Amino acid sequence: MLEDLKKNIERIIALYENERRQKEILQSELLKKDAEIESCRKQIADLERQVDNLKLTEAFTAPAGGGSAAREKIDKMISSIDRCISLLEK
């Protein structure tokens, strides 16, 4: 009976230690994901600022109907923003 009690206590302690390690791993992963999300948010803000600047520049400098290169750059930036947003949603 005493031996069974010791085995049960050892099993409970082992389970506790395993859960504690798992918690630490998950907390570490959460911190990494939070940092990644913050990085993506900053990138989104920077890209949105660049898009606004390009739109403003194009409005003042591009002749009517001639902004295909700027349009391609804006499309690429929008794609990058969309990719960051999808990463944030995961």
Side-chain angles (χ1 to χ4, degrees):
M1 182 168 151
L2 185 58
E3 195 62 36
D4 290 339
L5 186 57
K6 285 181 181 180
K7 286 180 183 179
N8 283 339
I9 290 172
E10 288 173 359
R11 186 173 54 86
I12 290 172
I13 290 172
L15 289 171
Y16 167 77
E17 290 297 323
N18 186 38
E19 290 300 318
R20 187 181 57 77
R21 281 191 298 273
Q22 185 66 23
K23 177 186 168 192
E24 289 173 356
I25 290 169
L26 290 173
Q27 285 176 331
S28 174
E29 288 177 12
L30 180 62
L31 288 174
K32 288 178 186 177
K33 295 297 180 184
D34 286 344
E36 186 178 335
I37 287 171
E38 186 60 31
S39 173
C40 286
R41 284 185 178 149
K42 287 179 182 178
Q43 185 180 6
I44 287 170
D46 289 342
L47 291 172
E48 286 174 343
R49 213 172 7 261
Q50 288 177 10
V51 167
D52 290 341
N53 288 341
L54 283 173
K55 286 180 182 177
L56 187 60
T57 301
E58 182 181 358
F60 287 112
T61 60
S68 63
R71 175 63 53 201
E72 286 179 29
K73 287 182 181 179
I74 290 172
D75 288 341
K76 286 180 184 179
M77 287 181 193
I78 290 173
S79 296
S80 180
I81 289 170
D82 288 341
R83 188 176 68 249
C84 287
I85 289 171
S86 69
L87 286 173
L88 287 172
E89 290 174 349
K90 288 184 180 180

